[in-house]
Amino acid sequence: MRDSYKVAVIGGGIAGLVSARELQREGHHVTVFEKANRVGGTWLYDPRVETDLLGLDPNREIVHSSLYRSLRVNLPRQIMGFLDYPFVKKEGGDPRHFPGHEEDSRDRVELGIKAELFEAVVICNGHNTEPKTAKFPGKDTWPGLQMHSHNYRTPEPFKNKIVVLIGNGPSAIDILKELAPVAKQVHQAIRRPGFHLKKLENHDNAWQHSMIACAHKDGKVVFQDESVVEADAIIHCTGYKFHFPFLRTNGIVNVDDTNRVEPLYKHVFPPSLAPWLSFVGPNYEGVPGAVMELQARWVAKVLSGKLELPSQEEMMCAVEEHWRKAEKNGWPKPILNPQHKGFEYIGWFAARLDIRPPNWWKKVTFWSILKVRSHYGDDYRDTWDIHKWMQEMDSPD
């Protein structure tokens, strides 16, 4: 394998930018393709919304950004940077540990569309654009407003409305907190076995329910706990699915029913197309900067010939064994970071790349962050003692 290749990076978000940097460091000739007129990916706020608010019409005018106007990062900036480019406070910028989205966007770059032949392609187009929606009887005939959180921007349109939110992830929690002061009522439907209706603390007009059982043409929404509300709007805070409309692999790479991109060796290389096609970012739930930086560096060094991949057969066997183990242990799909095992994946890369990871990489997982958020409640961004927590995370074992 020769030392340098002509590489296309698809996507100008965090994954694309760090991939381009690592590829250039290895001497490759890189072109980044970004459909927006700025780099930054999902962190570029766009006040526009799509023509289909649920995001189901394939012919809709697609708006890439999923940001709402008030959004702040839900991870402390101390763990969002890269090894040699920390996400530090800047003069005149947002000084908070959990800054607003403006702080995380990048400089303006004009990129045109062109047809060109490349020797390798790195897919970094993210997964926060193609919405997934909840399914329930009566959904298609319910007369009220339905939208996906992808198209939520501000709370004002919901003033004095009765709103049902579906989901219990970060977006649902943020939007509920923002809607409660202006809406007449907010009802959150969550997927939890045996859950019964309860009023939410700190909100006089918000309740949690079990999932929606059905919706009626007269506007009523019935929950599985048998409670009923006459709602004006339903907001689906139900996540996204991977979407690669530009990619043609003759069926080699697919997105399965669990939103898992497969088959990918170490969640990066399709065995039969490696190393000429790779993915940075999919199938992982954890600290994004660290994972994407290591994946990108590995891809760059494999292409430059400094690191070798196993044979196609060995890679495919490893992929199959990983998902057999995941199914046996009941790990969630497509998440790669099951039951606090995230550092095993990061450690695998660190060893091959001869990197000594900071101590906090071993301890900071999706679950450890969730635990702290639960302790501090809705206002965790402003009450969490980040300095003390980082000292604990970065201390030797």
Side-chain angles (χ1 to χ4, degrees), residues 6-18:
K6 191 176 179 182
V7 184
V9 173
I10 311 300
I14 294 176
L17 294 176
V18 73

mmCIF file with all atom_site columns, all heavy atoms in Angstrom, residues 6-18:
data_model
loop_
_atom_site.group_PDB
_atom_site.id
_atom_site.type_symbol
_atom_site.label_atom_id
_atom_site.label_alt_id
_atom_site.label_comp_id
_atom_site.label_asym_id
_atom_site.label_entity_id
_atom_site.label_seq_id
_atom_site.pdbx_PDB_ins_code
_atom_site.Cartn_x
_atom_site.Cartn_y
_atom_site.Cartn_z
_atom_site.occupancy
_atom_site.B_iso_or_equiv
_atom_site.pdbx_formal_charge
_atom_site.auth_seq_id
_atom_site.auth_comp_id
_atom_site.auth_asym_id
_atom_site.auth_atom_id
_atom_site.pdbx_PDB_model_num
ATOM 1  N N   . LYS A 1 6  ? -5.954  9.850  -2.401 1.00 0.00 ? 6  LYS A N   1
ATOM 2  C CA  . LYS A 1 6  ? -6.928  10.920 -2.591 1.00 0.00 ? 6  LYS A CA  1
ATOM 3  C C   . LYS A 1 6  ? -8.208  10.478 -1.894 1.00 0.00 ? 6  LYS A C   1
ATOM 4  O O   . LYS A 1 6  ? -8.843  9.497  -2.300 1.00 0.00 ? 6  LYS A O   1
ATOM 5  C CB  . LYS A 1 6  ? -7.161  11.121 -4.084 1.00 0.00 ? 6  LYS A CB  1
ATOM 6  C CG  . LYS A 1 6  ? -7.956  12.359 -4.445 1.00 0.00 ? 6  LYS A CG  1
ATOM 7  C CD  . LYS A 1 6  ? -8.020  12.494 -5.963 1.00 0.00 ? 6  LYS A CD  1
ATOM 8  C CE  . LYS A 1 6  ? -8.826  13.704 -6.358 1.00 0.00 ? 6  LYS A CE  1
ATOM 9  N NZ  . LYS A 1 6  ? -8.931  13.813 -7.840 1.00 0.00 ? 6  LYS A NZ  1
ATOM 10 N N   . VAL A 1 7  ? -8.608  11.200 -0.831 1.00 0.00 ? 7  VAL A N   1
ATOM 11 C CA  . VAL A 1 7  ? -9.685  10.745 0.056  1.00 0.00 ? 7  VAL A CA  1
ATOM 12 C C   . VAL A 1 7  ? -10.811 11.779 0.099  1.00 0.00 ? 7  VAL A C   1
ATOM 13 O O   . VAL A 1 7  ? -10.566 12.972 0.275  1.00 0.00 ? 7  VAL A O   1
ATOM 14 C CB  . VAL A 1 7  ? -9.164  10.498 1.487  1.00 0.00 ? 7  VAL A CB  1
ATOM 15 C CG1 . VAL A 1 7  ? -10.263 9.923  2.366  1.00 0.00 ? 7  VAL A CG1 1
ATOM 16 C CG2 . VAL A 1 7  ? -7.943  9.578  1.474  1.00 0.00 ? 7  VAL A CG2 1
ATOM 17 N N   . ALA A 1 8  ? -12.030 11.303 -0.052 1.00 0.00 ? 8  ALA A N   1
ATOM 18 C CA  . ALA A 1 8  ? -13.218 12.140 0.115  1.00 0.00 ? 8  ALA A CA  1
ATOM 19 C C   . ALA A 1 8  ? -13.788 11.919 1.506  1.00 0.00 ? 8  ALA A C   1
ATOM 20 O O   . ALA A 1 8  ? -13.984 10.776 1.925  1.00 0.00 ? 8  ALA A O   1
ATOM 21 C CB  . ALA A 1 8  ? -14.265 11.802 -0.941 1.00 0.00 ? 8  ALA A CB  1
ATOM 22 N N   . VAL A 1 9  ? -14.046 12.994 2.219  1.00 0.00 ? 9  VAL A N   1
ATOM 23 C CA  . VAL A 1 9  ? -14.708 12.936 3.523  1.00 0.00 ? 9  VAL A CA  1
ATOM 24 C C   . VAL A 1 9  ? -16.106 13.502 3.337  1.00 0.00 ? 9  VAL A C   1
ATOM 25 O O   . VAL A 1 9  ? -16.269 14.652 2.905  1.00 0.00 ? 9  VAL A O   1
ATOM 26 C CB  . VAL A 1 9  ? -13.937 13.749 4.581  1.00 0.00 ? 9  VAL A CB  1
ATOM 27 C CG1 . VAL A 1 9  ? -14.723 13.819 5.885  1.00 0.00 ? 9  VAL A CG1 1
ATOM 28 C CG2 . VAL A 1 9  ? -12.569 13.133 4.818  1.00 0.00 ? 9  VAL A CG2 1
ATOM 29 N N   . ILE A 1 10 ? -17.126 12.692 3.641  1.00 0.00 ? 10 ILE A N   1
ATOM 30 C CA  . ILE A 1 10 ? -18.513 13.116 3.455  1.00 0.00 ? 10 ILE A CA  1
ATOM 31 C C   . ILE A 1 10 ? -19.045 13.665 4.766  1.00 0.00 ? 10 ILE A C   1
ATOM 32 O O   . ILE A 1 10 ? -19.295 12.930 5.720  1.00 0.00 ? 10 ILE A O   1
ATOM 33 C CB  . ILE A 1 10 ? -19.403 11.946 2.981  1.00 0.00 ? 10 ILE A CB  1
ATOM 34 C CG1 . ILE A 1 10 ? -18.763 11.219 1.799  1.00 0.00 ? 10 ILE A CG1 1
ATOM 35 C CG2 . ILE A 1 10 ? -20.797 12.459 2.635  1.00 0.00 ? 10 ILE A CG2 1
ATOM 36 C CD1 . ILE A 1 10 ? -18.535 12.099 0.585  1.00 0.00 ? 10 ILE A CD1 1
ATOM 37 N N   . GLY A 1 11 ? -19.216 14.973 4.835  1.00 0.00 ? 11 GLY A N   1
ATOM 38 C CA  . GLY A 1 11 ? -19.746 15.615 6.032  1.00 0.00 ? 11 GLY A CA  1
ATOM 39 C C   . GLY A 1 11 ? -18.725 16.536 6.668  1.00 0.00 ? 11 GLY A C   1
ATOM 40 O O   . GLY A 1 11 ? -17.567 16.164 6.871  1.00 0.00 ? 11 GLY A O   1
ATOM 41 N N   . GLY A 1 12 ? -19.156 17.761 6.980  1.00 0.00 ? 12 GLY A N   1
ATOM 42 C CA  . GLY A 1 12 ? -18.275 18.754 7.583  1.00 0.00 ? 12 GLY A CA  1
ATOM 43 C C   . GLY A 1 12 ? -18.611 19.062 9.025  1.00 0.00 ? 12 GLY A C   1
ATOM 44 O O   . GLY A 1 12 ? -18.413 20.182 9.490  1.00 0.00 ? 12 GLY A O   1
ATOM 45 N N   . GLY A 1 13 ? -19.130 18.048 9.742  1.00 0.00 ? 13 GLY A N   1
ATOM 46 C CA  . GLY A 1 13 ? -19.372 18.200 11.173 1.00 0.00 ? 13 GLY A CA  1
ATOM 47 C C   . GLY A 1 13 ? -18.139 17.798 11.964 1.00 0.00 ? 13 GLY A C   1
ATOM 48 O O   . GLY A 1 13 ? -17.024 17.732 11.430 1.00 0.00 ? 13 GLY A O   1
ATOM 49 N N   . ILE A 1 14 ? -18.332 17.496 13.244 1.00 0.00 ? 14 ILE A N   1
ATOM 50 C CA  . ILE A 1 14 ? -17.198 17.158 14.104 1.00 0.00 ? 14 ILE A CA  1
ATOM 51 C C   . ILE A 1 14 ? -16.445 15.943 13.576 1.00 0.00 ? 14 ILE A C   1
ATOM 52 O O   . ILE A 1 14 ? -15.210 15.944 13.474 1.00 0.00 ? 14 ILE A O   1
ATOM 53 C CB  . ILE A 1 14 ? -17.684 16.910 15.542 1.00 0.00 ? 14 ILE A CB  1
ATOM 54 C CG1 . ILE A 1 14 ? -18.226 18.205 16.153 1.00 0.00 ? 14 ILE A CG1 1
ATOM 55 C CG2 . ILE A 1 14 ? -16.541 16.383 16.411 1.00 0.00 ? 14 ILE A CG2 1
ATOM 56 C CD1 . ILE A 1 14 ? -18.810 18.045 17.526 1.00 0.00 ? 14 ILE A CD1 1
ATOM 57 N N   . ALA A 1 15 ? -17.179 14.879 13.209 1.00 0.00 ? 15 ALA A N   1
ATOM 58 C CA  . ALA A 1 15 ? -16.523 13.672 12.718 1.00 0.00 ? 15 ALA A CA  1
ATOM 59 C C   . ALA A 1 15 ? -15.762 13.943 11.426 1.00 0.00 ? 15 ALA A C   1
ATOM 60 O O   . ALA A 1 15 ? -14.640 13.458 11.231 1.00 0.00 ? 15 ALA A O   1
ATOM 61 C CB  . ALA A 1 15 ? -17.557 12.568 12.504 1.00 0.00 ? 15 ALA A CB  1
ATOM 62 N N   . GLY A 1 16 ? -16.365 14.704 10.514 1.00 0.00 ? 16 GLY A N   1
ATOM 63 C CA  . GLY A 1 16 ? -15.710 15.006 9.256  1.00 0.00 ? 16 GLY A CA  1
ATOM 64 C C   . GLY A 1 16 ? -14.478 15.862 9.419  1.00 0.00 ? 16 GLY A C   1
ATOM 65 O O   . GLY A 1 16 ? -13.445 15.635 8.774  1.00 0.00 ? 16 GLY A O   1
ATOM 66 N N   . LEU A 1 17 ? -14.559 16.862 10.300 1.00 0.00 ? 17 LEU A N   1
ATOM 67 C CA  . LEU A 1 17 ? -13.421 17.752 10.494 1.00 0.00 ? 17 LEU A CA  1
ATOM 68 C C   . LEU A 1 17 ? -12.238 17.032 11.135 1.00 0.00 ? 17 LEU A C   1
ATOM 69 O O   . LEU A 1 17 ? -11.089 17.206 10.723 1.00 0.00 ? 17 LEU A O   1
ATOM 70 C CB  . LEU A 1 17 ? -13.843 18.947 11.353 1.00 0.00 ? 17 LEU A CB  1
ATOM 71 C CG  . LEU A 1 17 ? -14.871 19.893 10.714 1.00 0.00 ? 17 LEU A CG  1
ATOM 72 C CD1 . LEU A 1 17 ? -15.272 20.971 11.703 1.00 0.00 ? 17 LEU A CD1 1
ATOM 73 C CD2 . LEU A 1 17 ? -14.317 20.530 9.448  1.00 0.00 ? 17 LEU A CD2 1
ATOM 74 N N   . VAL A 1 18 ? -12.505 16.210 12.146 1.00 0.00 ? 18 VAL A N   1
ATOM 75 C CA  . VAL A 1 18 ? -11.395 15.507 12.786 1.00 0.00 ? 18 VAL A CA  1
ATOM 76 C C   . VAL A 1 18 ? -10.834 14.438 11.852 1.00 0.00 ? 18 VAL A C   1
ATOM 77 O O   . VAL A 1 18 ? -9.621  14.184 11.839 1.00 0.00 ? 18 VAL A O   1
ATOM 78 C CB  . VAL A 1 18 ? -11.820 14.909 14.149 1.00 0.00 ? 18 VAL A CB  1
ATOM 79 C CG1 . VAL A 1 18 ? -12.726 13.701 13.985 1.00 0.00 ? 18 VAL A CG1 1
ATOM 80 C CG2 . VAL A 1 18 ? -10.596 14.533 14.974 1.00 0.00 ? 18 VAL A CG2 1
#
